[in-house]
Amino acid sequence: MTVVHLRRAEPGLLVIAPERAPLVIDAAPGLDVLVLEVVGGHLSWSLFDEESVPAAVLDDVEAAQDWVWAVYGEEVAAAVADDRPGPLTAVPARLASAAALRRLAYAHWASRWWPASTLDGIPALDPRLLVEEIETLSEQCEMMVDGEIDELSRELDADASLGTADTSDGGGTASGTGGSSSEGDSAPIGRITGRAEDYALAAGGADTSDGLIVARGSGGWNWRRCPPGILDAGENAVSWQVTRAAGVSTVRVSVVASPDCRGIVPEHLRPHAWVRPADAPPARTLSPDAEFTTPLHRQGDAWTGSVRISGTPESSPEITVFVPGVGPADPPEDELTTRNRIRRFARARLTEPTGDQRLTAETAAAETDEDF
């Protein structure tokens, strides 16, 4: 049994939620929030809480009444029908359906936020296995969900068409400077396989003979600013170095590619890097045309690019990696703690007994983890 609170969030929205549960109407839902669109509204859970009773934000109460009783029980369903706010005891009438809903939400979360990383030794999840399980779970939850899988299948088909590209060139060669793409930029990208140590050097970039190296460093990137399957999710995936030659400072940026980066990445999904010198004001918006911004080009197992800046940096520049148009305009500033916790969660899912059954894709990843 779980205590939930029924309340009106605003005209037209009814909330059913356990204490301190994340909601889709929160100002900035966390990376660790599972969200599922259902008939009449949205459900949400915390990734790190195995509680099967979700929080709900309903925008069509009449439509949602077809399933509220199954997830929350008759007491809550009656209170929703009577629009009677207050604390209530949720006792799912169909425990299997409630568990399947959370599992479906988790599968959707994994398709977007699973932290695949060669550097951290976290293998990617097979998208085919994910979509097959999502289809199966959607059928089990057909009373609650409607029309989600068609869009997901279209996305998978598009992804598969990229994966069938000829990968014999292994990524080609690409320019490391800003400007339009060179011929090598459209070369196919092969699937990365191998151990983390084989690619650790990619995070350090390459030394250059073009000038004196005056600074270098590494760090992570904001997961909200790039779709999955392009960049390594490791916290040291981004590396940079500043060189000085003939009175010009050049910042070279390198980002390790995701272990499941495959096929030809469409131009509109290719990452960019914005270099903010120490004396420059913060950017209000990230744009590929902004000053000190360069597209990153695939070069081996990394995305690389360079930017020229005036003067000699007296302190380390700030590097922001992003895909234009992806992510909120004003994302949370620091989610390092959450990202680290998600990485630990993912490793535990593959290497330790879990409180619930693994997804099929997780089981397959765990079986190949030793050779990753």
Side-chain angles (χ1 to χ4, degrees), residues 30-32 48 223 335-343:
L31 297 173
D32 56 344
F48 307 120
W223 290 356
E335 295 181 297
L336 173 60
T337 300
T338 302
R339 292 198 300 267
N340 284 336
R341 193 176 180 188
I342 289 173
R343 293 187 189 97

Side-chain angles (χ1 to χ4, degrees), residues 81-99:
D82 297 338
D83 195 11
R84 178 165 36 89
L88 301 161
T89 301
V91 183
R94 292 189 177 181
L95 288 172
S97 295

Side-chain angles (χ1 to χ4, degrees), residues 41-357:
H42 292 80
L43 301 179
S44 56
W45 299 257
S46 169
L47 174 67
F48 307 120
D49 186 352
E50 295 181 0
E51 173 62 65
S52 62
V53 175
V57 177
L58 307 181
D59 53 37
D60 187 340
V61 173
E62 184 176 354
Q65 278 288 31
D66 290 340
W67 55 263
V68 166
W69 64 273
V71 176
Y72 294 100
E74 295 293 347
E75 179 185 346
V76 176
V80 169
D82 297 338
D83 195 11
R84 178 165 36 89
L88 301 161
T89 301
V91 183
R94 292 189 177 181
L95 288 172
S97 295
L101 278 172
R102 189 189 190 284
R103 187 173 177 84
L104 177 57
Y106 174 64
H108 278 289
W109 176 91
S111 71
R112 175 61 180 92
W113 300 112
W114 181 263
S117 172
T118 304
L119 298 178
D120 290 338
I122 301 175
L125 302 182
D126 187 328
R128 289 285 182 185
L129 295 178
L130 273 176
V131 80
E132 287 174 3
E133 187 147 7
I134 288 173
E135 288 176 339
T136 300
L137 290 167
S138 295
E139 292 175 359
Q140 295 177 19
C141 303
E142 61 181 351
M143 178 175 64
M144 299 88 155
V145 300
D146 180 31
E148 284 193 353
I149 197 62
D150 293 336
E151 181 179 352
L152 184 65
S153 295
R154 286 194 297 271
E155 293 176 357
L156 182 68
D157 289 341
D159 181 69
S161 68
L162 298 177
T164 56
D166 176 18
T167 59
S168 58
D169 291 338
T173 59
S175 169
T177 60
S180 61
S181 300
S182 67
E183 181 180 357
D185 297 338
S186 59
I189 299 170
R191 177 182 293 273
I192 301 174
T193 57
R195 296 182 179 276
E197 55 264 32
D198 295 331
Y199 299 98
L201 291 178
D207 286 335
T208 176
S209 58
D210 295 339
L212 175 66
I213 298 176
V214 296
R216 67 195 318 168
S218 64
W221 55 278
N222 189 323
W223 290 356
R224 297 178 187 269
R225 293 201 179 278
C226 183
I230 296 176
L231 304 178
D232 188 294
E235 204 58 41
N236 290 308
V238 180
S239 62
W240 56 269
Q241 65 180 21
V242 182
T243 59
R244 183 76 175 167
V248 176
S249 296
T250 301
V251 181
R252 288 178 169 81
V253 180
S254 175
V255 188
V256 181
S258 174
D260 58 341
C261 189
R262 60 194 182 281
I264 298 174
V265 176
E267 186 172 354
H268 70 281
L269 291 180
R270 293 181 187 173
H272 289 62
W274 178 64
V275 178
R276 176 179 172 242
D279 58 350
R284 291 187 177 272
T285 59
L286 291 173
S287 166
D289 300 322
E291 188 179 14
F292 307 129
T293 299
T294 181
L296 301 179
H297 307 298
R298 185 64 185 271
Q299 193 170 21
D301 298 323
W303 295 88
T304 64
S306 64
V307 174
R308 290 183 176 180
I309 60 178
S310 59
T312 302
E314 296 182 358
S315 60
S316 300
E318 176 185 326
I319 311 297
T320 301
V321 178
F322 68 101
V323 170
V326 174
D330 188 21
E333 292 186 2
D334 186 6
E335 295 181 297
L336 173 60
T337 300
T338 302
R339 292 198 300 267
N340 284 336
R341 193 176 180 188
I342 289 173
R343 293 187 189 97
R344 292 193 298 270
F345 170 88
R347 289 300 306 153
R349 291 285 297 182
L350 300 183
T351 60
E352 301 174 8
T354 59
D356 59 351
Q357 183 181 2

